Each structure stands twice: as C-alpha cells, then as structure tokens.
C-alpha cells in the first residue's frame, strides 16, 4: 500500500518535472520566436540600411555608372556650396518656424474651446479630426484647386471687390499657404493631445484659483500653461521633426516652385536621388537630416525626463 | 448633501456673461467645422459638376452628373490602383497584426534578461527618418529585383516599431494572474496569447488594424519611388501622376473625382472606428 503510494508520488513528481522542463523550453522558444523575427527584421530593414546610407554618402554614387569611388566628405562639402540645398535648408527652417507654433496655438485654442463645453464635444472632436486621417496627396490637390488662379478663393476675392492673388504661384505666398494646409491637417491630432493633457490637470487647482478670484487669463497663465508644459514640449519636438520632413504637400502643391521658394530638404533629397540619380549627394543630405533629427530627439528625451514640479 | 446641492445650483444658474461666453465658444467651434469640412465639400461638389459649371461657386451643382467618375475609370487604371492599394494595405495590416501583437505581448508580460534593451532597440528605430532609409531601400530593391512589385512596396513595413509599442502599452493592463492560471491549466503559450490575451485587448487590436490600414493606404514617398509602371501604382501615387498629366487642360472636375475616390473610404472607416482611432492616437501620442 505504502509502496504503491510512494510509486505514485514519484511518478507524479517526475511528470511535474517533465512538464516544468518542457514548459521552460516552450517558454523560451516562444520568446525567441516572437522577438527574434522582429529583431532580425529591424536589423535588416533599419540598422543595416542606415550603415549602407552612410557608406553611400561618402562615395560618388551615380546610379548610371558602375564604379562608386570613395570620395570622403566631398559630397558634404559640395552640398554646402549647392545653392538649392542651402535654399532648401532655409525653406525647411521657415516651415518649422511658422508651422510648429501655428500648429501648437491652433491646437491648444481648439482644445481649450472643447474643454469648456459639455454638449456636442464628441461631434466637434470627430469633425476636427477628419483631415488628419485623409491622404496628404489628395488633400494637397484639393487645396491646389481652391487656391488656383481662377479657383474658389480668388473668385471669392473678386466677388468681394478685392485683388485676386497669385497664391501658390507667388514666391512670397506659396510657402505660407502650404504651411497653413499642414496646420489645417494636423489640428485634429494636436487638439487631441492637448485635450488629454487638459483632462489630466486636477480640477481643484481651478477651484482654488476661483475662490481667490483669479481671472480666466490668470488661471490659464498660471495653472494651465505650466501644468501643460510637458505636453507642449513633447508636441513641439514631434512637430519640429514632422515639419523638418515636409515633402508630400510640397511635391503635390508646388513641386518646390516658384523659383525654389518652397523646395524643402526632403524634396531636394528626392530630386537629387531620383531625378538626377546622384545617390551619393542625396545620401549625404539624408545624413545631415538624420543628425538634426537625432539631436532633437535626444534633447526631447532629456527635457521630458526632467520632472516638472508643481 | 448640502455642499453638493450648493455646487449644483451654482452650476445650473448661469450668469448672462457665462451664457454669452458659451455662445461665443459654440460659434467659434462651428466656424472651425466650416474650415475643416469646406475643402472636402468643395472637392465632392466639383466632382459632380458638368464641365461648363466648373468655375461656378455653387456648393450644390445645378445639374449633378456621375460622368466624371465614369471618365476617370476610363482615362486611368483607377480600378487597378484601388486594387493595388487595397491588397498592399491588407497584407501589411495582417503581418503587422501577427508580429506586432506577439512581440508587444511578450515585451509586456514576460520578464527575461535583456528585455529592456530589446525594447529600446526596437523603439530607437522610430528615430530614423524614412528619408534616410529610402535610398538604401531603393538600392536593395533594385539589386534584388523587388522594384515595381507589391513586395517592393511592402517589405519596409511588414513589422512596425510603432505597433509593437502600442500593443505593449495595451497588453500591460492584462492581469498576470490570469495568464498564470491558464498556464497551470496546461495551455501552451501560443494558445494563451490567442485565446486569453488577444480577446482581452480586442479594442486595442482594432485600433492597431485601423491605424496600420490607414497608414498604408496613405503612404506616399516610398511607393512613389519603388513603383514605376502605371498599372502598379497605389492611389496616392496614381493621384499625383493622373493629376499632373491633366492639370494643364484644367480638368479639375476629373482630378476632384479622383481625390474623392481616394479619400472617401478613409472618412467612412474613420467615422465607423473613430473611438478606436482616437484612443490609439491618444495613447501612443502621450507616452
């Protein structure tokens, strides 16, 4: 009897051990497969291509010629004497300087309005968000049509007795108009981020300020803005990175014109690589863009890691 | 009780100044709705107009015609472009769903040596701008004969760091006890993922599916570079090609019919799944 019980226990513990063992191997196999495939994938489609891009950037890499001689930093030097590239840097800077504050102000304004109402909030939020999910290219063509020489906006100006404008054909207006369409398209996203930020601010701060008789502006200036600061910094960096990469709208609305007034860094990279087939120069330009974005991202991490004290 | 009722009466009794303030807010928001929707309304309106009415400012055309839609399908391989975009978006969404969900789950619910490092490695790929990758991708695709194919468009996006991040955030909320209970019951890890974890984060999965689908439907710069023949184009590339060809003859009604076709499915998808989309963007945008 006892022997039988003992036998059973032994068998049971051995079974348990076996399942344990197979459980461990099973578990590791599971981890290796689910993470190994993505890791290999990112290694081959992200990490190695970056190294490849660095390699291309230090060579004279004409797609049409078979030899790709090493030229050191010549591509970089040439870029900084390339007038269109310098112009494209200046233009990209303008996109960032107009677009980022514009997007933040409009987004914050809409978020504050929505935060102060109760009815129809969901409906407004939905409508404001629609442009964000639609294709940049398609939307750009719609704006191009509205802003055309005899498009809707000029017809409206004429009806009001005003001068028709050149809009996208004007070197002075084109860049600002493209930036405005970018702001229009990202308002929904920005509003959403700010709404989440506003909801996270405890109501009691406002109630306390109300008891003290603070005006709406003072409440905004001394409660909302400081407490929203991390969200603003986060949005600003994300915004800078996305405006640095301006491409789709520019290609579709002006293709860089008139007189390169709207050519951006990415458009210039695209033209160098895929219109002139100068892969070396184009890769060098991407390296410059990469460094700028990397510095910004690291800066963001550093700023965001600093805790804000209330 | 008394404080509550005081609070309530305070809230209900609105001063005239407050009423005016609310009115101004609603007016501003309605004006904003106009600015947000007008381009779409004008696009749709133009697409239904007769050629002679194209410069007429009416938002609802006097005569509505569907000829423009018939014409663009005849003038350009629009049906093929829709098919291409749909196939590419569906394949990419499926692979992203499989790989990102599994990876996000493991990164959220398992502990092992090197987990943080792996997560950091994956996330750091988000910092690399696409512009830097397109030149190497293009050279690789050329070398391997992938240019001008579906696979050529697809290969950079079959697993996404963004999706892994998103799924990890959502999977984090699954109680570990539940998973351990399933393990004691003898379920293997794949079944636990499939039958326990995934059903628990169903709204998140829908978010991932929709965001990936929309992202692929709209992606532009890479398909523009890797695709060469007209029949292989996706909708955004097709729109640029088609519109650039037509714009000199000022065929704006046809261009607007084309953009309507490429935008309409997205607006419908957004209106159906807006809750999931907004949730996903909020979560990934904030953390």
């Amino acid at each position: 009897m006892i022997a039988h019980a003992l036998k059973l226990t032994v068998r049971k513990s051995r079974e348990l051990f076996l399942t344990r063992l197979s459980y461990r191997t099973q578990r590791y196999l599971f981890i290796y497969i689910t993470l190994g495939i993505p890791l290999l994938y990112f290694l081959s489609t992200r990490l190695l291509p970056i190294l490849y891009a660095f390699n291309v950037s230090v060579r004279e890499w004409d797609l049409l010629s078979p030899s790709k001689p090493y030229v050191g930093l010549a591509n970089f030097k040439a870029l900084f004497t390339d007038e269109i590239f310098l112009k494209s840097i200046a233009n990209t800077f303008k996109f960032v300087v107009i677009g980022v504050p514009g997007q933040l102000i409009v987004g914050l304004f809409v978020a504050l309005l929505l935060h102060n109402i109760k009815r129809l909030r969901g409906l407004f939020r939905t409508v404001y968000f629609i442009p964000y999910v639609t294709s940049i290219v398609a939307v750009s063509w719609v704006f191009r049509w509205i802003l055309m020489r005899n498009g809707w906006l000029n017809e409206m100006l004429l009806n009001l007795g005003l001068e028709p404008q050149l809009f996208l054909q004007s070197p002075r207006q084109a860049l600002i108009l493209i930036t405005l369409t970018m702001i229009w398209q990202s308002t929904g996203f920005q509003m959403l981020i700010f709404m989440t930020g506003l909801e996270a601010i405890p109501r009691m701060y406002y109630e306390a300020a109300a008891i003290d008789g603070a005006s709406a502006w003072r409440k905004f200036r001394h409660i909302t803005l400081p407490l929203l600061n991390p969200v603003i910094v986060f949005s600003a960096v994300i915004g800078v990175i996305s405006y640095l990469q301006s491409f789709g709208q520019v290609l579709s609305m002006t293709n860089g014109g008139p007189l390169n007034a709207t050519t951006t860094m990415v458009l210039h990279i695209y033209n160098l690589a895929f219109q002139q087939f100068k892969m070396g120069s184009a890769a060098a330009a991407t390296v410059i863009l990469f460094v700028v974005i990397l510095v910004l991202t690291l800066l963001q991490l550093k700023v965001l890691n600093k805790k804000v004290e209330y | 009780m008394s404080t509550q009722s005081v609070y309530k009466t305070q809230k209900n009794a609105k001063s005239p100044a407050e009423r005016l303030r609310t009115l101004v807010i609603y007016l501003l928001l309605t004006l904003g709705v106009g600015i947000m929707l007008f381009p779409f309304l004008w696009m749709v309106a133009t697409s239904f107009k007769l050629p002679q009415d194209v410069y007429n400012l009416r938002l609802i055309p006097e005569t509505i015609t569907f000829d423009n839609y018939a014409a663009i399908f005849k003038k350009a391989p629009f049906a093929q472009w829709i098919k291409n975009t749909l196939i590419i978006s569906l394949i990419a969404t499926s692979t992203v769903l499989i790989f990102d969900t599994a990876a996000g789950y493991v990164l959220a619910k398992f502990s092992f040596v090197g987990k943080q490092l792996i997560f950091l490695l994956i996330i750091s790929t988000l910092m690399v701008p696409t512009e830097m990758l397109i030149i190497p991708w293009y050279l690789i695709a050329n070398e391997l004969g992938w240019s001008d194919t579906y696979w050529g468009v697809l290969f950079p996006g079959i697993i996404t760091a963004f999706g892994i991040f998103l799924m990890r955030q959502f999977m984090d909320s699954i109680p570990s006890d539940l998973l351990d209970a399933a393990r004691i019951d003898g379920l293997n890890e794949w079944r636990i993922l499939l039958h326990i974890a995934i059903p628990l984060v169903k709204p998140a999965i829908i978010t991932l599916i929709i965001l990936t689908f929309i992202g692929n439907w709209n992606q532009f710069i890479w398909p523009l570079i890797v695709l060469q023949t007209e029949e292989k184009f996706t909708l955004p590339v097709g729109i640029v090609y088609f519109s650039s060809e037509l714009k000199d003859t000022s065929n704006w009604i046809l261009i607007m019919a084309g953009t309507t076709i490429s935008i309409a499915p997205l607006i419908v998808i957004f209106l159906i799944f807006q809750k999931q989309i907004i949730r996903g963007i909020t979560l990934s945008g904030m953390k």
Side-chain angles (χ1 to χ4, degrees), chain A residues 84-104:
Chain A
I84 303 175
F85 182 68
L86 296 176
K87 178 110 197 191
S88 81
I89 291 182
N91 288 337
T92 307
F93 184 71
K94 282 186 208 160
F95 274 109
V96 172
V97 170
I98 306 169
V100 177
Q103 178 178 328
L104 290 179

Side-chain angles (χ1 to χ4, degrees), chain B residues 16-262:
Chain B
E18 249 178 285
R19 275 169 195 278
L20 185 71
R21 190 171 143 261
T22 314
L23 186 72
V24 171
I25 290 178
Y26 277 102
L27 278 176
L28 283 171
L29 284 170
T30 312
L31 180 75
V33 167
I35 297 172
M36 289 295 136
L37 292 187
F38 173 75
F40 297 116
L41 297 176
W42 188 239
M43 166 185 87
V44 175
T46 309
S47 76
F48 286 114
K49 280 181 181 174
L50 292 170
Q52 63 265 31
D53 291 339
V54 67
Y55 295 116
N56 186 324
L57 290 187
R58 288 174 64 119
L59 206 51
I60 297 163
E62 273 169 81
T63 346
I64 289 175
T65 172
F66 287 89
D67 291 354
N68 306 321
Y69 287 91
I72 59 166
F73 278 95
K74 248 182 259 159
K75 281 207 170 178
F78 252 94
Q80 183 67 35
W81 293 346
I82 294 171
K83 194 180 134 198
N84 294 342
T85 316
L86 202 60
I87 291 175
I88 287 169
S89 304
L90 285 176
I91 295 178
T93 308
S94 321
T95 56
V96 162
L97 180 65
I98 295 166
F99 292 112
D100 289 18
T101 308
Y105 167 68
V106 171
L107 286 171
K109 296 275 73 153
F110 282 64
S111 51
F112 50 90
V113 181
K115 185 170 101 163
Q116 287 308 319
L117 183 72
I118 291 174
F119 181 60
L120 233 96
L121 274 175
I122 293 175
I123 289 306
S124 63
T125 63
L126 284 172
M127 284 188 222
V128 184
T130 320
E131 291 76 31
M132 189 173 187
L133 297 165
I134 49 172
I135 291 172
W137 286 344
Y138 175 78
L139 297 173
I140 293 165
N142 260 358
E143 201 65 41
L144 301 174
W146 295 348
S147 55
D148 215 18
T149 63
Y150 283 158
W151 172 245
V153 179
L154 278 165
F155 83 86
I158 54 178
I159 306 178
T160 64
F162 165 77
I164 293 178
F165 174 75
L166 194 71
M167 290 324 288
R168 178 182 171 271
Q169 301 295 89
F170 280 115
M171 294 277 193
D172 220 26
S173 63
I174 299 173
S176 296
D177 293 351
L178 209 63
L179 304 173
D180 285 336
R183 282 183 192 117
I184 290 165
D185 285 349
L187 252 66
N188 74 40
E189 293 296 342
W190 298 100
R191 279 174 183 279
I192 295 173
L193 171 62
L194 205 65
H195 296 299
I196 299 191
I198 289 181
L200 281 173
V201 291
K202 216 163 141 197
I205 302 271
I206 296 172
T207 301
L208 179 68
I209 292 174
I210 302 298
L211 288 181
T212 312
F213 186 86
I214 291 177
N216 275 284
W217 185 278
N218 284 341
Q219 71 158 324
F220 177 55
I221 188 166
W222 176 240
L224 176 73
I225 286 157
V226 80
L227 297 174
Q228 276 113 39
T229 45
E230 215 186 318
E231 284 72 32
K232 298 278 168 52
F233 285 172
T234 56
L235 268 173
V237 182
I239 291 280
V240 166
Y241 173 79
F242 172 77
S243 309
S244 308
E245 296 272 293
L246 280 181
K247 71 154 198 291
D248 295 331
T249 51
S250 60
N251 262 318
W252 285 99
I253 40 172
L254 298 183
I255 297 175
M256 289 304 111
T259 53
T260 305
I261 285 177
S262 79

Side-chain angles (χ1 to χ4, degrees), chain A residues 20-233:
Chain A
R20 273 272 169 82
L21 188 78
S22 75
Y23 170 68
R24 280 182 72 117
T25 33
Q26 194 210 100
R27 187 186 136 94
Y28 277 106
L29 199 65
F30 183 70
I31 294 175
Y32 284 139
I33 293 173
T34 52
L35 290 182
I37 296 172
L39 278 177
L40 279 176
Y41 176 77
F42 286 124
L43 186 75
S44 53
T45 62
R46 299 295 189 278
L47 191 64
L48 293 178
I50 297 174
L51 300 177
Y52 195 15
F54 278 111
N55 183 22
V56 176
S57 76
V58 291
R59 288 172 189 279
E60 193 185 312
W61 193 301
D62 191 322
L63 204 61
L64 308 171
S65 91
S67 76
K68 281 83 164 113
Y70 175 81
V71 292
L73 296 178
N75 288 326
F76 292 89
K77 272 185 205 149
L79 276 175
F80 284 103
T81 54
D82 172 356
E83 263 175 53
I84 303 175
F85 182 68
L86 296 176
K87 178 110 197 191
S88 81
I89 291 182
N91 288 337
T92 307
F93 184 71
K94 282 186 208 160
F95 274 109
V96 172
V97 170
I98 306 169
V100 177
Q103 178 178 328
L104 290 179
I105 291 168
V106 174
L108 184 58
F109 185 65
V110 176
L112 283 169
L113 290 182
L114 284 176
H115 197 66
N116 276 297
I117 60 165
K118 286 184 200 73
R119 258 174 258 161
L120 299 177
R121 194 195 275 196
L123 183 72
F124 282 123
R125 194 178 64 173
T126 305
V127 171
Y128 281 81
F129 204 75
I130 290 176
Y132 187 72
V133 293
T134 54
S135 143
I136 284 175
V137 173
V139 158
S140 299
W141 278 90
V142 175
F143 275 99
R144 200 168 157 165
W145 165 221
I146 290 172
L147 296 169
M148 236 198 53
R149 196 158 40 88
N150 40 8
W152 183 85
L153 201 55
N154 266 334
E155 296 286 330
M156 277 317 233
L157 290 178
L158 277 173
N159 284 356
L160 294 169
L162 299 166
E163 274 297 277
Q165 298 292 316
L166 282 171
F167 294 132
L168 295 174
Q169 265 134 35
S170 146
R172 278 188 32 244
Q173 299 169 355
L175 191 139
I176 293 171
L177 288 167
I178 297 176
T179 320
L180 286 178
T181 63
M182 290 167 151
I183 294 173
W184 173 83
Q185 202 164 13
S186 51
T187 296
F189 171 76
Q190 198 58 65
M191 158 207 85
L192 202 62
I193 301 295
F194 280 140
M195 277 176 81
T196 321
L198 288 173
E199 270 150 32
I201 300 177
R203 289 193 71 90
M204 55 176 199
Y205 290 114
Y206 293 106
E207 281 156 14
I211 291 168
D212 291 344
S215 67
W217 167 250
R218 283 183 70 90
K219 278 191 237 171
F220 174 74
R221 176 75 189 75
H222 294 288
I223 302 172
T224 313
L225 266 189
L227 292 189
L228 215 54
N229 196 40
V231 185
I232 295 173
V233 173

